[in-house]
Amino acid sequence: MMPHVARKVSEARKYLEGKRSSDSRVGLVPTMGFLHEGHLSLVRRARRENDTCVVSIFVNPLQFGPTEDLEAYPRDMDRDLDLLSSEGVDLVFAPDPDEMYSPDRSVTVTERDISRSLCGSARPGHFDGVCTVVLKLFNILSPDRAYFGEKDYQQLQVVRRMARDLDVDVEIRGCPIVREKDGLAMSSRNIYLGEAERRDALALSKALVEARSAFEAGERDCRKILATVRRVLEAHPLVNIDYAEIRDAETLLPVERVEGRAVVALAARVGKARLIDNTFLEP
Ligand code: PAF
């Protein structure tokens, strides 16, 4: 069945009012649309674990820098709605930017620690935009649980920190990366890749496989693991590394040796696309 589509905040609230009771749970999957199997894995989990399943589709202008791809960002609402009706989603919240942001808005949410490095240094203001829109979505839809992909691992940790520090009563659930058959992490931005770029983009997941192999063979020195990662990436001329780092999986602080759970995080520009990927190393 086609989900109910709400374009207005008041309409989404009204729909959910009728669904809420003390023993019924609402699960939210926040997205920017142009859905792929990665999003659908979140939707299926939210559908399974909750009584009411809500998906938001909103290309959030606040999280794009002035030179980024806001205008070009791929959109296909009809296709998204078809996919979501096959998944049994109850409500799609798809506001216009002027429904979400007043022209004189003056409050943003800033996380000042874990959002500053990695993608935060290449994309100043990006995580302020993410935190602000996610908190607004939480306030509008009051979900019990919200589902985020681990591909955007820094985003997941920043949202967790925001929810913890602001006492937002939502349980944040992270879900594993979904990959194409050949290993490329699914992303709406993969559509930007030409044929040769698509081939070279595989270097990211290959580099992570190499990192894991080195780790599984006993290597704990991050410099050595990262040297392997860089060797793989640098063998692909269309890949321009933005960062390749190993961080503590909880705090995102740099680590020299892998002694607790760590994340190998990569970002690279391949043609017009800025791609990110990661994997965990668990001693
Ligand atoms: O991951 C995304 O698609 C976006 O950053 C999110 C969480 C929907 C906020 O706009």
Side-chain angles (χ1 to χ4, degrees):
M1 213 171 63
M2 201 64 173
H4 183 90
V5 180
R7 303 232 169 232
K8 301 282 177 205
V9 170
S10 55
E11 200 187 333
R13 283 194 167 135
K14 193 158 165 232
Y15 176 89
L16 288 169
E17 234 166 64
K19 295 278 173 191
R20 248 180 262 283
S21 67
S22 58
D23 61 351
S24 110
R25 296 286 167 269
V26 174
L28 168 67
V29 182
T31 81
M32 299 206 300
F34 208 67
L35 305 176
H36 51 66
E37 276 299 315
H39 297 112
L40 297 181
S41 73
L42 307 180
V43 171
R44 283 173 199 140
R45 187 159 166 211
R47 174 68 289 168
R48 215 169 44 239
E49 296 179 350
N50 299 278
D51 305 282
T52 303
C53 176
V54 184
V55 175
S56 63
I57 298 182
F58 179 60
V59 182
N60 174 32
L62 228 59
Q63 70 190 74
F64 287 77
T67 61
E68 291 183 2
D69 56 344
L70 174 61
E71 295 307 321
Y73 195 84
R75 294 157 167 93
D76 191 342
M77 186 59 85
D78 291 343
R79 185 172 153 275
D80 289 348
L81 290 178
D82 277 349
L83 289 168
L84 296 177
S85 50
S86 316
E87 299 300 338
V89 168
D90 299 292
L91 172 67
V92 173
F93 178 53
D96 285 333
D98 54 5
E99 176 69 7
M100 288 295 272
Y101 297 120
S102 328
D104 63 346
R105 54 169 206 89
S106 56
V107 177
T108 46
V109 181
T110 301
E111 192 288 325
R112 293 182 191 283
D113 178 13
I114 54 182
S115 66
R116 290 296 153 99
S117 62
L118 304 173
C119 287
S121 31
R123 307 184 69 190
H126 168 69
F127 287 113
D128 292 2
V130 170
C131 283
T132 304
V133 82
V134 168
L135 184 61
K136 283 170 69 70
L137 291 168
F138 289 172
N139 285 334
I140 294 163
L141 303 164
S142 305
D144 297 281
R145 300 169 182 133
Y147 297 80
F148 294 84
E150 285 176 346
K151 183 174 75 70
D152 300 279
Y153 188 67
Q154 187 178 16
Q155 166 172 281
L156 171 62
Q157 292 305 91
V158 168
V159 167
R160 283 196 164 124
R161 179 68 68 92
M162 188 261 297
R164 185 200 73 180
D165 286 3
L166 299 181
D167 300 296
V168 185
D169 194 13
V170 179
E171 191 190 322
I172 310 296
R173 296 193 170 172
C175 306
I177 296 177
V178 177
R179 298 180 180 281
E180 303 283 357
K181 276 203 184 73
D182 61 5
L184 181 70
M186 292 213 181
S187 163
S188 305
R189 290 188 166 98
N190 290 348
I191 189 128
Y192 297 149
L193 298 169
E195 209 176 302
E197 291 163 352
R198 173 70 180 73
R199 261 196 312 274
D200 268 19
L202 267 188
L204 276 78
S205 54
K206 274 193 203 147
L208 294 173
V209 169
E210 292 293 318
R212 290 179 64 87
S213 308
F215 176 74
E216 274 150 27
E219 187 58 78
R220 294 291 180 269
D221 183 334
C222 293
R223 262 197 320 210
K224 292 198 180 142
I225 299 174
L226 288 173
T228 309
V229 165
R230 286 185 174 272
R231 214 175 305 121
V232 177
L233 295 175
E234 283 162 5
H236 296 77
L238 301 180
V239 174
N240 296 295
I241 306 174
D242 182 354
Y243 62 75
E245 303 218 16
I246 301 180
R247 298 285 177 113
D248 178 275
E250 213 42 53
T251 61
L252 295 185
L253 289 172
V255 285
E256 282 179 16
R257 293 184 60 76
V258 185
E259 263 139 22
R261 189 163 186 260
V263 59
V264 188
L266 307 182
R269 276 167 296 106
V270 185
K272 280 198 303 246
R274 183 175 183 281
L275 304 179
I276 56 176
D277 200 350
N278 66 71
T279 194
F280 296 111
L281 303 179
E282 314 201 38

